[in-house]
Amino acid sequence: MILAVSPDDVPFWPWGLLMIAVGVYLVGVAALIGAGRREDARALAGFIPDCLVLVSRLARDPDVSRPRRAVLFLVLAYLAFPFDLVPDFLPGVGQLDDAILVGLALRLVVHGGGTERVREAWPGPEASLTLVLRAAGLETNGRRKPR
C-alpha cells in the first residue's frame, strides 16, 4: 500500500514556513555567487555548519574541562535546533545570535586553553573565524587581544 501525501495534508506551521526560510536563504547565497562574491557566499552558506563542527570538535577535546564541555554541548543543542531567537534566513543578522552564543562559549573555552585551540578546530574560511573571534571579544581589527 502506497501512502500519498497531498499538499493540503502538510501544515504550514512549521514546515511551510521552514521551506520559505530555506528558499530565501538559498536565494541570498545564489545572489552573492551571482554578484561574484564567492567567498562571502561560502561564508554565509557554511557559517552555521562551521560553528557546529567547531563546537563539536571542542566539546570532544579531552583537554577542555568538563564544565566547559557541558557548555559547548548546550551550544551544540541550540545550534542544531531549527528555530533561533533571530531567524537564520535574514542575511547577516540571522547568524548574529549564533555568532554571539558561539562567541560566549569560545570565550569560556579560550580562557581555559587559548585562541590557538579554536583556530585549529575551525573548519571554515578565515573571514568567518574572525567574525566568531570578534563576537567572543578575542580579536579586534585583525589583532589578537592580549590575555
Side-chain angles (χ1 to χ4, degrees):
M1 180 160 98
I2 297 175
L3 295 174
V5 178
S6 74
D8 296 333
D9 296 337
V10 178
F12 180 73
W13 175 257
W15 303 113
L17 193 58
L18 180 63
M19 293 309 294
I20 290 171
V22 168
V24 169
Y25 182 71
L26 291 175
V27 167
V29 171
L32 287 172
I33 291 171
R37 297 173 55 188
R38 290 189 179 274
E39 184 66 23
D40 291 338
R42 173 16 189 139
L44 177 62
F47 184 76
I48 302 304
D50 289 344
C51 287
L52 282 168
V53 170
L54 171 68
V55 173
S56 68
R57 286 177 180 172
L58 291 172
R60 290 178 288 150
D61 187 346
D63 294 332
V64 176
S65 69
R66 282 186 182 213
R68 287 184 170 97
R69 288 170 63 186
V71 168
L72 291 170
F73 280 116
L74 289 172
V75 169
L76 267 175
Y78 176 79
L79 291 174
F81 193 67
F83 301 104
D84 290 346
L85 296 174
V86 180
D88 287 335
F89 65 86
L90 298 172
V93 197
Q95 288 76 28
L96 190 59
D97 66 322
D98 297 325
I100 290 171
L101 188 61
V102 168
L104 291 173
L106 293 181
R107 179 174 255 192
L108 180 69
V109 169
V110 167
H111 287 293
T115 307
E116 288 309 311
R117 181 174 293 164
V118 174
R119 287 186 176 284
E120 290 171 7
W122 181 253
E126 185 68 27
S128 298
L129 176 61
T130 302
L131 173 69
V132 170
L133 291 175
R134 284 183 183 171
L138 302 171
E139 269 191 14
T140 53
N141 298 329
R143 295 186 192 159
R144 294 182 197 158
K145 283 188 173 182
R147 287 181 60 206

